[in-house]
């Protein structure tokens, strides 16, 4: 019997698949599993829906991982950020390697580390990539003042405010934006994510 996708909330709880809306098209009609999807929960939250292969990969690789919740972010971030089916402050969905399958980048924590992770598609499933790992004290109270967040960036020509350098982005990418500071774009070059300061 086919298993339904599981919902990953910004906690350890799983939500039933009956609450799903239409998922993103993955670009591969022979793939049975739905793609990842971000759903706005209400005016104060969001959920990340992962198909079972992604959910299993994440659980096997870092079972205690939890996305940063909406409340983790500063009031200015929350007042201006627009959640969509592919982007939330701590999760961004995109086809980063250009193979027609949606991938996901996530920021959050486990018991000991602050993490930025990617679940990237490949021919035989997904691969788990740790993009950043920093020590974290799980007993520390969240001050709810985070001013850096993730957002989606689609293909196109990109420039920078620092010089005349520009590039042509050929696949989806994600950007980490810090209020009143520089933003950094991350794109997949075929082997790793590369930084481009915007």
């Amino acid at each position: 019997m086919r298993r339904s996708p599981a919902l990953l909330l910004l906690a350890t709880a799983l939500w039933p698949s009956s609450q799903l809306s239409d998922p993103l098209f993955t670009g591969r009609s022979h793939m049975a599993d739905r793609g990842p999807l971000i759903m706005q929960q209400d005016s104060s939250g969001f959920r990340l829906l992962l198909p079972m292969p992604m959910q299993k990969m994440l659980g096997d690789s870092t079972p205690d991982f939890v996305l940063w919740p909406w409340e983790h972010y500063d009031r200015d971030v929350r007042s201006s950020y627009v959640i969509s089916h592919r982007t939330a402050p701590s999760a961004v969905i995109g086809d980063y390697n250009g193979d027609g399958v949606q991938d996901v980048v996530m920021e959050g924590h486990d018991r000991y580390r602050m993490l930025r992770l990617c679940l990237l598609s490949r021919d035989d499933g997904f691969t788990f990539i740790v993009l950043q790992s920093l020590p974290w004290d799980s007993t520390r109270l969240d001050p709810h003042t985070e001013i850096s967040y993730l957002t989606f960036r689609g293909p196109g020509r990109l420039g920078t405010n620092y010089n005349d350098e520009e590039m042509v982005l050929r696949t989806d990418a994600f950007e980490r934006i810090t209020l009143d500071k520089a933003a950094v774009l991350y794109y997949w070059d075929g082997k790793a994510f590369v930084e481009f300061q915007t």
Side-chain angles (χ1 to χ4, degrees), residues 30 62 67 89 119 157 198:
H30 67 276
T62 176
L67 283 174
L119 296 173
R157 188 173 298 277
T198 56

Side-chain angles (χ1 to χ4, degrees), residues 7-10 15 19-22 36-49 67 70-71 77-89 91 93:
L7 289 176
L8 176 65
L9 187 62
L10 305 174
W15 289 64
Q19 297 181 13
L20 303 181
S21 65
D22 291 335
L37 178 68
I38 292 169
M39 300 173 66
Q40 186 158 359
Q41 186 177 2
D42 50 37
S43 61
S44 62
F46 58 89
R47 292 179 287 188
L48 173 63
L49 165 69
L67 283 174
W70 182 247
E71 297 79 16
V77 174
R78 288 182 277 133
S79 66
S80 61
Y81 198 99
V82 178
I83 297 170
S84 75
H85 67 286
R86 72 163 65 245
T87 185
I93 295 166

